[in-house]
């Protein structure tokens, strides 16, 4: 056990929602909910203003709308959040070589390994400098917990929220943990918590009082030993710099169950292509193709096929996924589909025959599309404009979609550096002057200053970026249905799924 609080846990504050508020001046100080907007959508993140109404992550979106009908409801922009996360993780790695990311917005750092801290005072200084650097680089806030172990550091960061720092001195951990719920301990989920509650154990102190033998009897040998040790504040888990990626996968939940077998097959092919793009983006390949199907009755089936060698070829993955689908009965309807690749490697051993077949299938698909495009009866496809996503108009400049429907899209034209809300205009969804756009950076780096913690050249937030008195009018944003993809963390977007 360490004798100094040199384990740091960073947790960005309401990350997705805060990023949206920072990029949209009209939403600052307002209730903002990010997630899937369809009937089966789930809340990924709610701003602190929305949490006042009882809206929380992983809540069904329909329930959130009942609790906070006047909040702004936005479809997530994962590429945007990922770019901010990369900036934050770079600051953490400037502190130490031992950084353990848990999700886009959360990570552990071993400050002692980077010689950034060696006692309580130096740890506190490092934490405060990190928080200042994050604000300067991203314009957002994060909460920091400092302790001698990962478990206590994470508890400390929860207590620091929002936008704070809490340091737990070594030797005081037992007093801190004692009155807390058993659910505070890592690995104690709803099922284990209910099992302990039925045995009369609801606090960490009561776990310690029950004794190791009783815990082993209640929850099993491995779990019982671990729970007892954590109740005594014994947590020797090291900060692990790199977590090996075990699989790459994508999945979609559909607002209406899919019954048409042809449509199911096309969705699986589309998911296979998305999975391969993600696989290639990570510089990986894999041997095992996995298909996931959740049927109308919520029963979930998984099928897998292992290839002769690792691949990142879309034709190979599509063919394997199609073969797996042939073994699944989808008669009653499908509510979720997923395609994944495991058995990962950093090289490929292509099946040339399958690759050629895949290229031929692509060619046939292109020819079929061209034939359809040449037909006189082909109806034009209406462009989709997800709420909250970026657009650019040739006459009005950069903006974001407030809502769309009935052939119209409403856009608010504003940029992160604006001091107040921008103007609103409505266009036809097929307006040729309106196009999707990339997000603007939250902080403009014109003139920079050297920060003490990271040694990087960064710019302070522009003057007037966060007005003290935001406009009082509430914002109501609606859009066509969408849902949200799962993230590695159950906190940001846990259990949610996405449509393109």
């Amino acid at each position: 056990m360490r004798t100094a609080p040199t384990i740091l846990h960073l947790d960005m504050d309401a990350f997705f929602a805060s990023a949206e508020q920072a990029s949209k001046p009209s939403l600052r100080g307002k209730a903002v909910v990010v997630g899937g907007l369809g009937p089966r959508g789930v809340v990924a993140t709610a701003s602190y203003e929305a949490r006042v109404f009882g809206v929380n992550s992983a809540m069904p979106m329909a329930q959130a709308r009942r609790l906070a009908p006047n909040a702004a409801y936005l479809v997530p922009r994962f590429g945007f959040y990922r770019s901010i996360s990369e900036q934050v993780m770079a600051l953490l790695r400037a502190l130490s070589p031992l950084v353990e990311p848990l999700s886009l917005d959360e990570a552990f750092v071993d400050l002692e390994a980077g010689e950034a801290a060696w006692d309580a005072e130096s740890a506190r200084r490092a934490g405060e400098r990190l928080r200042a650097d994050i604000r300067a680089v991203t314009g957002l806030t994060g909460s920091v917990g400092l302790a001698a172990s990962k478990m206590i550091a994470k508890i400390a960061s929860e207590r620091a929220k929002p936008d704070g720092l809490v340091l737990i001195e070594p030797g005081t951990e037992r007093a801190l943990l004692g009155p807390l719920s058993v659910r505070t301990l890592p690995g104690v989920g709803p099922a284990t918590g209910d099992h302990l509650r039925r045995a009369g154990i609801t606090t960490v102190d009561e776990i310690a009082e029950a004794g190791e033998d009783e815990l082993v009897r209640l929850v099993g040998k491995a779990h019982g030993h671990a729970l007892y040790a954590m109740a005594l504040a014994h947590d020797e888990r090291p900060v692990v710099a790199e977590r090996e990626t075990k699989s790459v996968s994508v999945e979609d939940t559909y607002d209406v169950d899919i019954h048409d077998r042809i449509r199911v097959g096309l969705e699986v092919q589309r998911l296979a292509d998305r999975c391969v793009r993600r696989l290639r983006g990570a510089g990986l390949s894999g041997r095992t193709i996995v298909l996931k199907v959740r049927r109308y009755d919520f029963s979930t089936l998984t099928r897998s096929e292992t290839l002769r060698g690792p691949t990142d070829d879309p034709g190979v993955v599509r063919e394997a996924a199609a073969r797996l689908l042939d073994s699944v009965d989808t008669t009653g309807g499908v509510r979720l589909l997923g395609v994944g690749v495991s058995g990962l490697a950093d090289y490929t051993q292509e099946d040339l025959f399958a690759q050629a077949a895949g290229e031929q299938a692509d060619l046939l698909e292109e020819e079929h599309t061209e034939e359809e495009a040449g037909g006189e009866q082909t109806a034009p496809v209406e462009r989709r404009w997800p709420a909250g996503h970026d657009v650019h108009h040739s006459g009005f400049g950069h903006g974001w979609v407030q809502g769309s429907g009935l052939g119209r899209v409403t856009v608010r034209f504003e940029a992160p550096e604006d001091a107040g809300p921008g103007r609103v205009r409505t266009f036809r969804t097929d307006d040729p002057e309106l196009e999707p756009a990339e997000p603007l950076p939250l902080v403009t780096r014109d003139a920079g200053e050297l920060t003490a913690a990271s040694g990087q050249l960064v710019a302070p937030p522009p003057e007037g970026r966060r007005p003290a008195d935001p406009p009082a009018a509430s914002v109501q944003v609606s859009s066509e249905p969408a849902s949200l993809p799962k993230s590695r963390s159950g906190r940001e977007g846990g259990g949610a799924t996405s449509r393109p």
Side-chain angles (χ1 to χ4, degrees):
M1 190 75 174
R2 294 177 185 237
T3 57
T6 54
I7 300 294
L8 180 148
H9 181 259
L10 170 72
D11 197 355
M12 298 295 287
D13 299 321
F15 183 43
F16 295 176
S18 294
E20 296 296 348
Q21 289 176 316
S23 67
K24 300 172 172 64
S26 57
L27 297 187
R28 293 170 192 162
K30 303 294 190 299
V32 174
V33 181
V34 179
L37 303 190
R40 293 174 179 167
V42 175
V43 174
T45 311
S47 69
Y48 288 100
E49 295 86 353
R51 295 180 192 188
V52 171
F53 299 99
V55 180
N56 292 299
S57 300
M59 173 183 288
M61 190 61 76
Q63 182 181 355
R65 288 185 182 275
R66 289 193 295 270
L67 293 172
N70 294 321
Y73 289 87
L74 307 177
V75 176
R77 299 183 291 164
F78 286 105
F80 178 52
Y81 309 145
R82 192 172 292 110
S83 67
I84 300 172
S85 174
E86 289 169 357
Q87 292 177 303
V88 173
M89 296 302 165
L91 291 174
L92 298 183
R93 293 187 179 98
L95 285 174
S96 171
L98 292 184
V99 176
E100 183 178 339
L102 303 180
S103 64
L104 290 178
D105 67 322
E106 186 181 4
F108 286 110
V109 183
D110 187 332
L111 296 175
E112 188 174 4
E115 299 183 353
W118 49 91
D119 58 14
E121 185 55 37
S122 60
R124 186 183 295 277
R125 287 198 304 268
E128 292 293 4
R129 288 197 302 268
L130 173 64
R131 292 177 57 236
D133 280 355
I134 289 173
R135 185 186 289 273
V137 171
T138 70
L140 304 180
T141 64
S143 295
V144 167
L146 292 158
S149 69
K150 291 167 71 172
M151 176 178 68
I152 303 299
K154 185 172 174 62
I155 292 172
S157 70
E158 286 292 330
R159 294 195 158 207
K161 283 191 165 293
D163 190 20
L165 182 150
V166 168
L167 184 151
I168 307 298
E169 292 279 3
T172 65
E173 296 95 344
R174 285 287 304 276
L176 168 72
L177 285 174
L180 301 180
S181 165
V182 295
R183 292 287 304 276
T184 304
L185 300 180
V188 180
T192 303
D194 287 344
H195 192 57
L196 293 172
R197 180 180 52 78
R198 287 193 293 271
I201 300 173
T202 59
T203 68
V204 176
D205 261 346
E206 289 167 346
I207 287 181
E209 291 168 4
E212 193 168 12
D213 292 341
E214 177 65 6
L215 287 170
V216 168
R217 187 185 70 80
L218 287 171
V219 299
K221 186 174 181 180
H223 205 181
H225 289 316
L227 274 183
Y228 185 70
M230 288 187 291
L232 299 181
H234 296 160
D235 178 17
E236 300 295 337
R237 294 175 300 160
V239 175
V240 180
E242 295 294 336
R243 290 171 170 244
E244 182 182 356
T245 302
K246 298 184 182 301
S247 65
V248 173
S249 63
V250 296
E251 62 182 45
D252 277 355
T253 296
Y254 303 99
D255 297 329
V256 178
D257 291 347
I258 302 175
H259 293 83
D260 182 357
R261 182 74 177 190
I262 295 177
R263 166 84 188 284
V264 172
L266 290 173
E267 289 294 319
V268 168
Q269 300 297 291
R270 185 178 57 80
L271 288 167
D273 287 342
R274 279 176 53 200
C275 183
V276 168
R277 286 197 297 271
R278 185 172 294 183
L279 194 69
R280 288 180 167 180
L284 297 170
S285 60
R287 295 185 64 217
T288 301
I289 314 303
V290 181
L291 175 71
K292 177 179 177 181
V293 180
R294 181 167 296 150
R295 300 188 290 191
Y296 69 99
D297 58 357
F298 286 88
S299 61
T300 302
L301 305 175
T302 57
R303 299 287 186 268
S304 65
E305 175 182 322
T306 299
L307 308 174
R308 293 194 300 273
T311 184
D312 66 351
D313 183 84
V316 175
V317 177
R318 281 199 299 264
E319 288 180 7
R323 287 194 296 271
L324 295 171
L325 180 61
D326 288 341
S327 66
V328 178
D329 179 12
T330 61
T331 306
V334 171
R335 60 184 289 119
L336 177 146
L337 290 168
V339 174
V341 177
S342 60
L344 301 181
D346 56 3
Y347 67 94
T348 63
Q349 182 178 318
E350 300 295 1
D351 184 329
L352 298 180
F353 292 102
Q355 181 174 356
E359 290 172 354
Q360 181 66 22
D362 288 342
L363 181 60
L364 290 173
E365 184 177 348
E366 289 175 8
E367 291 175 352
H368 182 63
T369 302
E370 289 173 2
E371 290 174 1
E372 286 187 339
E376 295 180 0
Q377 298 182 355
T378 302
V381 178
E382 183 176 345
R383 291 193 293 176
R384 298 184 62 205
W385 302 98
H389 282 223
D390 299 85
V391 295
H392 184 273
H393 189 275
S394 58
F396 295 100
H398 189 91
W400 59 278
V401 176
Q402 280 202 314
S404 65
L406 301 176
R408 295 287 184 270
V409 54
T410 300
V411 177
R412 185 180 289 275
F413 292 98
E414 59 187 2
E417 64 270 16
D418 294 343
R423 54 188 173 179
V424 177
R425 295 288 187 273
T426 298
F427 308 92
R428 298 193 319 273
T429 54
D430 60 352
D431 190 317
E433 295 188 272
L434 189 67
E435 295 291 341
E438 292 298 317
L440 297 176
L442 296 183
V443 174
T444 304
R445 303 191 185 185
D446 294 329
E449 58 184 23
L450 192 65
T451 62
S454 68
Q456 296 182 350
L457 199 63
V458 297
E463 199 125 343
R465 261 226 49 227
R466 294 182 178 271
D469 299 308
S474 103
V475 177
Q476 172 68 50
V477 177
S478 61
S479 177
E480 45 198 339
S483 28
L484 177 68
K486 286 184 181 177
S487 68
R488 287 199 304 162
S489 164
R491 299 181 61 258
E492 288 281 13
T497 49
S498 170
R499 303 185 65 185

